Amino acid sequence: MTDILLHQYDTSPFSEKVRVCLGIKRLAWAAVDQPVIMPKPDLLPLTGGYRRIPVLQIGADIYLDSALIVRELERRFPEPTLFPAGDRGLGAALALWTDRAMFQAVVAVVFGGLGDKVPAAFIRDREALSGRPFDVAAMKAAVPHMSAQLNAQVALIAEQLEDGRAFLTGEKPGLADASAYYNLWFIRSAFPPAAAPFDADPLIAGWMPRVKAIGHGERSALCPEAALDIARDATPLPATVAPQDAALAGREVTVAADDYGRDPIRGVLVGSSAHHVALRREDPRVGTIVVHAPRIGFVVRG
Ligand SMILES: N[C@@H](CCC(=O)N[C@@H](CS)C(=O)NCC(=O)O)C(=O)O
């Protein structure tokens, strides 16, 4: 049985990024399917309130956000690397483009395109997630502009492929491919008519099937109850606090995403680095666990 548990759902774009990275690394992992909307009673005991997907669980260590998940996968399973051309910093920084600007354009094009077909319960849930109205009429009106934004961004991917390379950083696939791919994968699966412009581009139309062919590694499934039992029966890895966070070591802090799904997680700071913070939490269902959150895009309050 595998130790790598990915709390996810199949239609989740950020989960697709991680699934492609699991494929690049040819890892065996288990999908723990979680609901698309709240409530998420089998996720929150692990995360301490964070509701977003995906979440990686390895024993009693819980990793939030696809950026930190792929970092942790690279740390634990370095080969095959997600950075076949080197450029680790740039490769990780690319997420600030794909996961924010590009994803925002994708969301607008998909949901503006779906329009009245978006279920009311989903709209209410995403309004609670973002703290803002999920205004389908405004999204519909914004489709021409957001499509233009998206097309310009897809043109950057095509430009990168112009010299005939198979993948974005060379002949081997990496995080850059997974990051750019999941956005287009989401459009194609959620609202296929919006995929027409990039399907017509031979460079993109050639690259997409190459990324798809990587697959998702060796996937199995685990029920959420079993994942909670695994966390309860495991011991978190030892963690160390970086010198710059010494003042907060062993103190109770909160960590929250800075964009949407900002529910704070409370715990004792037991680990940190330039890239992450780790909080120890006690939960009646899972006992002692450590939740790891990225630095970028998250606010730590002491
Ligand atoms: N920056 C986060 C974004 C995650 C995110 O927005 N996930 C979406 C699903 S793909 C989500 O959680 N939506 C609300 C939900 O599923 O409850 C990451 O990279 O993991």
Side-chain angles (χ1 to χ4, degrees):
M1 198 183 112
T2 174
D3 290 341
I4 305 173
L5 309 181
L6 186 68
H7 296 262
Q8 61 119 53
Y9 48 87
D10 281 350
T11 54
S12 151
F14 289 92
S15 301
E16 180 66 6
K17 183 214 287 192
V18 176
R19 291 187 294 250
V20 171
C21 290
L22 289 160
I24 292 171
K25 292 192 169 293
R26 300 182 209 114
L27 288 167
W29 60 284
V32 183
D33 283 338
Q34 295 288 350
V36 176
I37 61 175
M38 292 292 270
K40 306 193 187 196
D42 297 323
L43 180 69
L44 270 44
L46 295 170
T47 61
Y50 180 89
R51 60 161 287 184
R52 300 194 313 198
I53 289 295
V55 168
L56 175 72
Q57 175 188 353
I58 303 186
D61 284 280
I62 310 298
Y63 300 89
L64 311 182
D65 197 286
S66 61
L68 188 63
I69 292 173
V70 297
R71 178 174 287 280
E72 185 63 15
L73 291 175
E74 181 76 6
R75 190 185 74 79
R76 291 188 188 231
F77 312 102
E79 292 297 333
T81 178
L82 297 174
F83 305 98
D87 299 329
R88 284 169 184 272
L90 284 181
L94 200 69
L96 296 174
W97 163 46
T98 57
D99 299 3
R100 294 197 174 213
M102 193 176 186
F103 183 64
Q104 272 161 23
V106 166
V107 165
V109 166
V110 166
F111 290 104
L114 287 172
D116 304 331
K117 294 196 195 69
V118 184
F122 182 87
I123 292 178
R124 280 195 301 276
D125 180 81
R126 292 319 194 242
E127 287 183 331
L129 175 77
S130 66
R132 286 197 302 272
F134 190 100
D135 186 341
V136 173
M139 285 189 201
K140 264 190 195 165
V143 164
H145 168 63
M146 293 314 265
S147 301
Q149 290 297 305
L150 181 63
N151 290 345
Q153 302 195 34
V154 175
L156 298 176
I157 303 173
E159 196 170 24
Q160 186 72 4
L161 296 165
E162 257 166 26
D163 62 4
R165 62 184 63 199
F167 296 102
L168 292 181
T169 59
E171 291 312 306
K172 291 186 182 159
L175 177 58
D177 297 281
S179 297
Y181 172 83
Y182 81 79
N183 274 305
L184 304 192
W185 167 88
F186 181 55
I187 294 182
R188 194 179 264 166
S189 47
F191 187 62
F198 57 80
D199 277 344
D201 181 317
L203 292 169
I204 302 292
W207 167 76
M208 292 271 296
R210 284 197 288 277
V211 181
K212 184 175 181 188
I214 295 165
H216 291 159
E218 197 186 312
R219 173 176 171 163
S220 56
L222 191 75
C223 68
E225 272 293 304
L228 293 171
D229 290 346
I230 287 171
R232 182 198 57 206
D233 297 341
T235 305
L237 290 181
T240 47
V241 175
Q244 71 266 24
D245 300 311
L248 289 179
R251 299 220 349 233
E252 189 159 289
V253 298
T254 63
V255 176
D258 71 2
D259 45 3
Y260 53 92
R262 288 177 297 215
D263 314 85
I265 307 152
R266 187 174 294 280
V268 174
L269 190 93
V270 291
S272 72
S273 70
H275 304 294
H276 86 293
V277 290
L279 270 52
R280 192 182 62 228
R281 302 184 42 252
E282 306 294 330
D283 179 275
R285 175 67 178 85
V286 293
T288 305
I289 51 173
V290 170
V291 179
H292 305 252
R295 290 267 186 190
I296 294 180
F298 282 74
V299 185
V300 181
R301 290 200 174 88

